């Protein structure tokens, strides 16, 4: 597939140690957008189906970015169409989105009128119970993720004093010149997406993005997390200063402090962190080991503590996966009530009108 017609998959929101982290606001302020459609509807009323249908229509014709739901990766929370300068997003909780410039380029697509309120009222108690149970399980899931984050943070604290910051900065300055051999005018644009998310089991990442976006790959092997923070942040800045747009993929455990992966589509470049939670063994990749930037003797002396923290963190994340599945089961139950009360003939008519207008 050529660059203009490629399709990629990311998460635009995820559960983190401090709660739900979303980059929807960044997407909705996208300067390149001409149209932003904000879908408002009950659960199970076809928002994700519409986005999948529209993505399928344009795949192969223009660059399409599918943005998945971290609680249910089979569902979409948004789609970005670069060529059409169009984005469609789910504007309901937990990522409630309201228009800032209604009519100028934002439009709310309200589907609530397609619901049979009287039918829903007969299941009010069950709907409330399903919602509360789903919300409670997600809160417990975030607590477990928070515990894992604290343990992995301890490993970072152990490794940080052993990490040679200046050596990393010199290396990334040199590496960036080899990766981006020509400098463009102006500074590149940074966008943030999650390549991985926590609590989504086997669907927690999108490895298919790598062959789609990358003709050259770099893998930093860093199980301690200290070198990677400096390496990725520094390399990102060099690439932005060289004028290239960069997709930054933060670590869900430290979404505000640690970049885990980078994509530079114009260069066909992907830079990935490989560690105990997600290993990258990519044929033809340039492999860099954090040991070259690390004083290993003091770190080796604390290896037993590192192993203990790592094992405990993995156990907590495994429990979070289990709770996420339970939460989804309650959400699926909630959807059943709304599906039974939804007029899908009217929904389909609205969808066809949107497709005809914007495509």
């Amino acid at each position: 597939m050529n660059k203009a017609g490629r399709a990629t998959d990311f998460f635009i929101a995820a559960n983190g140690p401090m709660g739900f982290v979303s980059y929807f606001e960044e997407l909705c302020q996208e300067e390149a957008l001409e149209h932003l459609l904000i879908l408002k509807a009950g659960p199970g009323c076809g928002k994700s189906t519409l986005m999948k249908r529209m993505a399928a229509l344009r795949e192969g014709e223009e660059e399409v970015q599918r943005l998945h739901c971290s609680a249910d990766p089979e569902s979409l929370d948004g789609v970005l169409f670069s060529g059409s300068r169009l984005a469609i997003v789910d504007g309901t909780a937990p990522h409630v989105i309201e228009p800032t410039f209604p009519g100028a380029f934002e439009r709310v697509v309200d589907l609530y009128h397609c619901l049979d309120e009287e039918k829903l009222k007969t299941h009010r108690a069950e709907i409330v119970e399903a919602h509360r149970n789903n919300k409670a399980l997600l809160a417990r899931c975030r607590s477990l993720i928070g515990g894992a984050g604290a343990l992995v943070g301890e490993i970072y604290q152990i490794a940080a004093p052993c990490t040679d910051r200046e050596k990393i900065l010199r290396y990334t300055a040199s590496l960036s010149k080899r990766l981006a051999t020509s400098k463009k005018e102006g500074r590149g644009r940074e966008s943030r997406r999650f390549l991985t998310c926590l609590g989504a089991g086997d669907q927690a990442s999108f490895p298919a993005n790598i062959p789609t976006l990358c003709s050259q790959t770099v893998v930093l092997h860093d199980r301690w997390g200290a070198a990677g923070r400096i390496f990725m942040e520094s390399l990102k800045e060099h690439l932005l200063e060289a004028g290239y747009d960069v997709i930054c993929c933060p670590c869900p455990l430290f979404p505000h402090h640690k970049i885990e992966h980078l994509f530079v589509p114009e260069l066909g470049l992907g830079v990935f962190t490989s560690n105990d939670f997600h290993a990258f063994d990519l044929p033809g990749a340039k492999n860099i080991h954090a040991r070259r930037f690390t004083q290993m003797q003091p770190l080796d002396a604390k290896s037993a503590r590192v192993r203990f923290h790592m094992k405990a963190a993995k156990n907590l994340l495994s429990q979070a996966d289990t709770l996420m599945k339970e939460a989804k089961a309650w959400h699926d139950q909630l959807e059943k009530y709304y599906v039974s009360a939804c007029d899908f003939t009217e929904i389909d008519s609205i969808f066809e009108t949107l497709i005809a207008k914007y495509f």
Side-chain angles (χ1 to χ4, degrees):
M1 182 180 293
N2 61 33
K3 177 181 176 181
R6 66 191 174 192
T8 53
D9 298 271
F10 292 97
F11 299 102
I12 198 166
N15 287 304
M18 304 303 292
F20 192 70
V21 180
S22 168
Y23 299 132
F24 270 99
E25 182 177 348
E26 175 185 302
L27 176 68
C28 295
Q29 293 177 349
E30 177 63 68
E31 293 179 1
L33 285 183
E34 187 173 338
H35 303 287
L36 172 65
L37 304 183
I38 304 171
L39 304 181
K40 300 280 189 177
C45 291
K47 301 185 295 296
S48 179
T49 300
L50 167 66
M51 290 186 277
K52 287 179 180 179
R53 283 175 59 187
M54 295 184 81
L57 284 173
R58 301 306 296 172
E59 188 175 338
E61 301 296 325
E62 64 175 301
E63 192 167 357
V64 176
Q65 193 176 108
R66 295 178 291 243
L67 304 169
H68 294 254
C69 172
S70 60
D72 179 11
E74 291 293 330
S75 296
L76 295 182
D77 277 344
V79 186
L80 178 63
F81 303 91
S82 297
S84 302
R85 300 177 64 193
L86 166 71
I88 311 171
V89 297
D90 179 348
T92 56
H95 35 77
V96 177
I97 302 167
E98 297 297 338
T100 305
F101 308 104
F105 77 97
E106 299 165 320
R107 174 185 172 185
V108 173
V109 181
D110 188 342
L111 305 175
Y112 289 123
H113 65 279
C114 299
L115 292 171
D116 184 337
E117 292 185 9
E118 294 306 315
K119 193 168 186 178
L120 288 170
K121 285 177 182 177
T122 63
H123 297 288
R124 174 176 172 172
E126 295 93 331
I127 289 171
V128 170
E129 179 189 24
H131 173 78
R132 286 176 176 170
N133 287 335
N134 172 266
K135 185 176 180 180
L137 285 163
L138 290 177
R140 288 172 57 195
C141 180
R142 286 191 285 268
S143 294
L144 291 169
I145 291 171
L151 290 165
V152 176
E154 282 290 315
I155 297 172
Y156 165 79
Q157 294 295 335
I158 292 170
C162 307
T163 304
D164 190 334
R165 178 182 178 84
E166 293 306 315
K167 188 174 182 179
I168 296 173
L169 295 179
R170 290 194 300 270
Y171 186 89
T172 53
S174 174
L175 178 63
S176 66
K177 291 176 182 177
R178 298 198 299 272
L179 296 172
T181 55
S182 60
K183 183 176 173 63
K184 302 171 65 180
E185 287 193 19
R187 180 179 170 87
R189 186 169 55 86
E190 175 184 353
S191 56
R192 292 177 295 175
R193 304 285 189 269
F194 290 106
L195 182 65
T196 60
C197 74
L198 302 167
D202 295 337
Q203 298 174 298
S205 67
F206 296 110
N209 282 351
I210 299 173
T212 300
L213 289 173
C214 307
S215 56
Q216 57 177 333
T217 53
V218 176
V219 179
L220 175 67
H221 300 268
D222 177 22
R223 72 174 314 213
W224 307 285
R229 291 197 188 197
I230 304 167
F231 184 98
M232 290 292 188
E233 185 66 36
S234 176
L235 185 60
K236 178 200 76 172
E237 284 300 316
H238 284 299
L239 293 167
L240 289 172
E241 284 299 319
Y244 292 93
D245 293 345
V246 179
I247 301 173
C248 298
C249 300
C251 171
L253 282 175
F254 309 100
H256 306 298
H257 305 292
K258 181 184 178 184
I259 299 169
E260 206 160 44
H261 316 295
L262 297 172
F263 289 97
V264 188
E266 192 171 351
L267 295 174
L269 172 65
V271 186
F272 307 96
T273 303
S274 182
N275 56 37
D276 289 49
F277 298 97
H278 43 72
F280 283 87
D281 182 15
L282 304 177
K286 178 178 179 59
N287 290 285
I288 303 166
H289 295 271
R291 287 176 176 270
R292 69 186 298 168
F293 310 117
T294 308
Q295 301 173 43
M296 292 306 303
Q297 187 174 355
L299 194 55
D300 286 340
K302 297 181 179 179
S303 60
R305 185 177 170 190
V306 169
R307 286 195 302 271
F308 175 83
H309 280 49
M310 198 73 74
K311 183 177 180 180
K314 287 181 178 180
N315 183 48
L316 289 174
L317 293 178
S318 177
Q319 293 180 53
D321 274 337
T322 299
L323 289 181
M324 186 69 81
K325 290 182 177 68
E326 293 179 25
K328 184 181 180 303
W330 280 107
H331 187 268
D332 290 346
Q333 185 65 34
L334 186 65
E335 282 191 345
K336 290 179 181 179
Y337 296 113
Y338 281 86
V339 168
S340 67
C342 185
D343 181 352
F344 284 101
T345 301
E346 177 66 15
I347 293 278
D348 287 341
S349 175
I350 294 169
F351 288 175
E352 292 301 329
T353 300
L354 292 174
I355 291 170
K357 179 173 182 178
Y358 294 100
F359 287 164

